[in-house]
């Protein structure tokens, strides 16, 4: 979490840094700050809270230098306040930091004993102190960074500048992402490629344990011992306009409406239209790096993927948050369509529970950002024990994408809203495709069955468009819905993870009590919560479990619960039982989650906006969780 940006070049650094921080604000919005060279010294301006507060503070400020760094913070050590905002400036050195310095207390004590005076409660400031004590004897900043690195423990990335070297920036990555690119006589560094897109589309992602040294218009990478490392440039196809709201009041609503396109883009590369069969494209099992994917021979690569799909005896799916719920849907799809046993785990549990990974296991990691610390750690653990890893990511060349053996891409485009939406539906589409591919290769599905499932999946984007028409209804109903004391979301089968997702969305956006339950569990406890102030969102599309779900609904109705039912087409039973009824188009069970998720997203979005909450940046959260 936290966003870092650095600029060295002919433009006004203030504009570049503020522009960069705008695109990084999703990473944290507890405070923001910049430090820019002015008359030979760093002039620092910081503000608590959203970036807007900093923008107001800096708008009339002028700087004569061409070097600057900026930061947007998600607080770890020390509360959100101006005092704890970055950059931290000590003895001519300015520093921004993302991550956690684990040996913070012992270093702080040691520095304190040596007379250091701290002006914040952060772990970051002590790195600035360590660097300043190295540079005060005239040591160049690059050497100072190399000297300090061995003293720091944890997962952290830093960017440092010194007033003694107005032509230099030095950064180091060990965990949280950093990317660098050259524009026109200029270099920009940031935590996310979006901040670089206005200046260049050719970027270099730093790997862990790489030091970046920028001198004027040039940069190089070294190992922590100073030895030079090769540079691999990646071309980005995204345009900066994709990061605009395009007339929507929030990114989240825009992203909800982009979902049909996201589903189509995720599955398109993997469907053999002529054969009406699945053929996964350039997954890359066996390729030496993600950069080589584009040049792989498609048929050879597909043959390697087919081997993995047919030889795998057990699948583990690991992810966090919304990506975990996508994984739960994957479990139903893979077990039923491909006949392979699947275990799904929350990454922070999986990594510490000493899981038994038998030979011929495949670990699937799901992550929109590709940077989630726990998911990355789970990947590394599994790889360390010889398990093959397939990643499903949205951000290409992210840490998880780079370290996995095989790669599937969501192709959802930039997702800015902290609440994940289009990444989820893109993942569900990919998991459908993967389950069909596995079912096909393991002879669990006949060609005609694959064809039918594929046709239904291809129809999903236009069906999703029709469900989006409920936007207006939810925007009007929000005023009533927000008065409930809480929400229970329930469903069976693939609708159960969607229920969990619905509850998560309401919690994270509306800050209301919400729980997701398997409908069959209702009588084992949650039924006690039901009264006329409790709303129950029942996901009951037509499938082989619908009758059972309807019985659960009768039980809720008998106890006075206020029911919002989501079903298929005109369903008189559901209409009779519910206060509000949302009719989805007819689809097989494999496609239903893509349709059901839209009403639960719209409900959370409109209830949260009608409560006046910042939907794109909910309190206490950040888009990318790069610390555990
Ligand atoms: O980038 P990832 O998919 O790994 O992120 C996982 C979760 O942090 C994320 O889905 C989170 O739960 C969202 N805020 C949910 O809307």
């Amino acid at each position: 979490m936290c966003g870092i940006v650095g600029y060295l070049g002919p433009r006004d650094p203030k504009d570049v840094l503020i522009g960069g921080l705008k695109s990084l604000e999703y990473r944290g919005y507890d405070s923001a700050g910049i430090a820019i060279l002015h008359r030979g010294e760093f002039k620092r301006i910081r503000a608590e809270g959203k970036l807007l507060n900093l923008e107001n503070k800096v708008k009339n400020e002028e700087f004569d230098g061409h070097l600057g760094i900026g930061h947007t913070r998600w607080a770890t050590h020390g509360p959100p306040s101006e005092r704890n905002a970055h950059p931290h400036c000590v003895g001519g050195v300015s520093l921004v930091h993302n991550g956690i310095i684990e040996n913070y207390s012992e270093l702080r004590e040691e520095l304190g004993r040596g007379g250091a005076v701290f002006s914040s409660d952060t772990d970051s400031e002590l790195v600035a102190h360590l660097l300043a004590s190295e540079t005060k004897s005239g040591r160049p900043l690059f050497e100072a960074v190399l000297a300090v690195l061995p003293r720091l423990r944890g997962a952290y990335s830093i960017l440092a500048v010194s007033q003694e070297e107005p032509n230099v920036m030095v950064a180091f990555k060990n965990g949280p992402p950093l990317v660098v690119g050259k524009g026109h006589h200029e270099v920009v560094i940031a935590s996310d490629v979006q901040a670089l897109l206005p200046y260049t589309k050719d970027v270099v992602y730093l790997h862990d344990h790489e030091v970046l040294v920028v001198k004027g218009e040039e940069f190089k990478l070294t190992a922590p011992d100073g030895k030079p490392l090769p540079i691999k440039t990646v071309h980005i196809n995204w345009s900066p306009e994709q990061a605009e709201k395009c007339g929507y009041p929030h990114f989240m609503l825009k992203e909800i409406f982009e979902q049909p396109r996201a589903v189509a883009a995720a599955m398109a590369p993997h469907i053999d239209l002529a054969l009406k069969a699945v053929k996964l494209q350039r997954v890359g099992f066996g390729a030496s790096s993600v950069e080589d994917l584009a040049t792989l021979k498609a048929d050879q690569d597909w043959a390697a993927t087919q081997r993995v799909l047919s030889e795998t005896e057990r699948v583990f799916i690991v992810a966090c948050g919304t990506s975990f719920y996508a994984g739960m849907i994957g479990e139903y799809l893979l077990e039923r369509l491909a006949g392979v046993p699947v275990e799904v785990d929350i990454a922070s549990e999986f990594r510490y529970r000493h899981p038994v990974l038998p030979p011929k296991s495949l670990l699937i990691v799901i992550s929109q950002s590709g940077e989630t610390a726990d998911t990355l750690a789970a990947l590394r653990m599994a790889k360390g024990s010889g398990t093959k890893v397939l990643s499903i990511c949205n951000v290409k060349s992210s840490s998880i994408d780079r370290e996995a053996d095989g790669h599937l891409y969501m192709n959802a485009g930039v997702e800015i809203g902290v609440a994940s939406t289009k990444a989820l539906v893109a993942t569900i589409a990919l998991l459908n495709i993967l389950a069909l591919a596995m079912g096909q290769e393991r002879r669990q599905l006949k060609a005609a069955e694959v064809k039918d499932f594929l046709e239904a999946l291809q129809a999903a984007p236009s069906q999703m468009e029709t469900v989006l028409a409920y936007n207006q209804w939810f925007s009007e109903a929000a005023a009533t819905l927000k008065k409930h004391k809480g929400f229970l979301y329930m469903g069976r089968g693939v609708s159960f993870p969607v229920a969990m997702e619905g509850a998560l969305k309401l919690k994270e956006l509306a800050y209301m009590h919400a729980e997701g339950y398997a409908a069959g569990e209702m009588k084992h406890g949650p039924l006690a919560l039901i009264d006329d102030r409790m709303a129950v969102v029942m996901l009951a599309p037509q499938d082989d479990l619908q009758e059972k779900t309807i019985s659960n609904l009768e039980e809720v109705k008998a106890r006075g619960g206020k029911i919002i039912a989501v079903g298929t087409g005109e369903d008189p039973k559901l209409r009779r039982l519910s206060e509000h009824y949302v009719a989805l188009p007819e689809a097989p069970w494999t496609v239903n989650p893509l349709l059901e998720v839209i009403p639960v997203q719209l409900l959370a979005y409109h209830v949260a906006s009608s409560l006046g909450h910042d939907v794109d940046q909910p309190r206490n959260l950040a888009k990318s969780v790069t610390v555990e």
Side-chain angles (χ1 to χ4, degrees), residues 1 27 98-100 154-158 172-178 206-210 370-373 376 380 398-400 402-403 626-627:
M1 343 261 268
R27 301 180 65 86
N98 178 17
I100 290 178
Y156 59 90
S157 291
I158 53 170
F172 175 71
K173 173 183 183 310
N174 177 29
L178 278 181
L206 269 71
H207 295 88
D208 279 349
H209 312 298
E210 284 185 349
E371 299 294 346
T372 300
L376 180 59
R380 288 179 178 159
S398 54
S399 303
I400 289 175
R402 279 204 310 267
E403 295 192 28
T626 53
V627 291

Side-chain angles (χ1 to χ4, degrees), residues 25 51 54 107 132 141 331 364 369 426 444 497 519 544 557 577:
E25 201 185 8
L51 183 62
L54 177 70
L107 286 174
L141 183 63
E331 178 181 27
I364 301 176
S369 61
Q444 291 284 322
D544 50 359
K557 176 94 177 165
L577 287 168

Side-chain angles (χ1 to χ4, degrees), residues 320-323 366-370 372 418-420 504-505 508 625:
C320 299
T322 293
S323 294
I366 303 172
S367 177
Q368 187 285 130
S369 61
T372 300
V418 164
S420 190
L504 174 67
K505 282 287 162 288
E508 73 176 327
V625 183

Side-chain angles (χ1 to χ4, degrees), residues 114-253:
V117 179
F118 292 95
S119 55
S120 78
D121 314 309
T122 65
D123 53 345
S124 321
E125 188 190 352
L126 64 88
V127 186
H129 276 277
L130 290 170
L131 288 174
S133 68
E134 293 292 335
T135 52
K136 78 170 178 236
S137 55
R139 205 169 192 183
L141 183 63
F142 168 56
E143 286 179 23
V145 168
L146 296 191
V148 166
L149 290 180
R151 307 205 53 202
L152 307 176
R153 279 205 316 270
Y156 59 90
S157 291
I158 53 170
L159 167 60
V161 285
S162 160
Q163 66 190 33
E164 302 308 320
E165 296 171 76
N167 219 16
V168 172
M169 297 192 278
V170 183
F172 175 71
K173 173 183 183 310
N174 177 29
L178 278 181
V179 56
V180 60
K182 267 199 242 182
H184 192 58
H185 302 301
E186 63 198 346
V187 177
V188 191
I189 303 172
S191 303
D192 189 316
V193 71
Q194 280 169 50
L196 270 55
L197 291 180
Y199 312 100
T200 180
K201 287 190 177 177
D202 294 310
V203 305
V204 176
Y205 287 93
L206 269 71
H207 295 88
D208 279 349
H209 312 298
E210 284 185 349
V211 183
L212 167 74
V213 194
V214 180
K215 271 200 181 145
E217 299 171 28
E218 302 301 326
F219 63 80
K220 65 175 186 179
L221 293 175
T222 80
D225 61 4
K227 288 209 182 87
L229 292 171
I231 290 180
K232 269 195 177 167
T233 304
V234 176
H235 184 74
I236 304 293
N237 292 323
W238 296 350
S239 63
E241 298 75 51
Q242 278 183 278
E244 301 291 332
K245 285 189 197 146
C246 303
Y248 286 91
H250 296 101
F251 282 111
M252 183 184 174
L253 192 61

